Amino acid sequence: MDYEFRRDPFGGYRARFSMGHEAIGQWLIDEVGKDEEKLDALFAVIDQLSCRSLAEYKLLGGDYSLLLTQEEAEVKANVLNIEQDEDLDDLAYYDDEQLAMCGLEDFAQVLGSWRAFIRNEDMG
């Protein structure tokens, strides 16, 4: 999974992720932003999952939700949880930018990189 963090010309943040992982970048921007307390809490949860003292963790956000297990992380757009009519195709709401999964260790690295990026931006 490749990613890059940048500041846009209007003072906002951009997180570009490789194909298939775009939802993680959008989740970082929309649900985490510059909230270091949220990042600290997520790192604590990841530690608990890694030590196997916690089986899974769910975080419901405004636009995206996060599911962490002892093995992986899943970011999913909440729109994908909408109950669909049986007449609609099962993939009616599917979009590559709305669902992403990666290993828990990779996800922890992303969070660490994001924290370093926002701290550096605040200092610069």
Side-chain angles (χ1 to χ4, degrees):
M1 163 176 55
D2 295 321
Y3 53 90
E4 175 183 38
F5 304 132
R6 290 188 177 205
R7 185 112 177 181
D8 71 23
F10 306 105
Y13 295 127
R14 297 280 174 229
R16 299 178 77 186
F17 277 71
S18 56
M19 195 158 100
H21 296 102
E22 298 95 338
I24 297 171
Q26 201 58 49
W27 173 82
L28 279 171
I29 293 166
D30 293 347
E31 306 295 341
V32 177
K34 294 172 61 174
D35 189 344
E36 288 203 52
E37 287 181 16
K38 186 176 273 189
L39 286 169
D40 291 342
L42 287 168
F43 280 116
V45 166
I46 289 170
D47 286 344
Q48 291 175 18
L49 290 164
S50 296
C51 294
R52 305 230 182 266
S53 62
L54 185 65
E56 72 175 29
Y57 173 80
K58 293 179 185 179
L59 178 63
L60 180 63
D63 294 319
Y64 288 84
S65 294
L66 173 68
L67 172 64
L68 299 177
T69 68
Q70 295 173 348
E71 304 298 324
E72 68 181 10
E74 176 186 278
V75 173
K76 184 176 178 181
N78 293 338
V79 70
L80 295 178
N81 293 327
I82 294 174
E83 299 247 350
Q84 298 181 24
D85 252 296
E86 289 182 24
D87 294 337
L88 294 176
D89 182 58
D90 286 341
L91 299 177
Y93 286 103
Y94 179 76
D95 183 349
D96 284 343
E97 297 177 4
Q98 295 184 345
L99 176 65
M101 291 183 274
C102 68
L104 188 62
E105 289 180 29
D106 290 337
F107 187 72
Q109 286 182 323
V110 166
L111 293 180
S113 296
W114 180 251
R115 179 168 32 197
F117 171 73
I118 61 174
R119 282 181 176 169
N120 186 41
E121 286 296 310
D122 284 343
M123 292 178 178

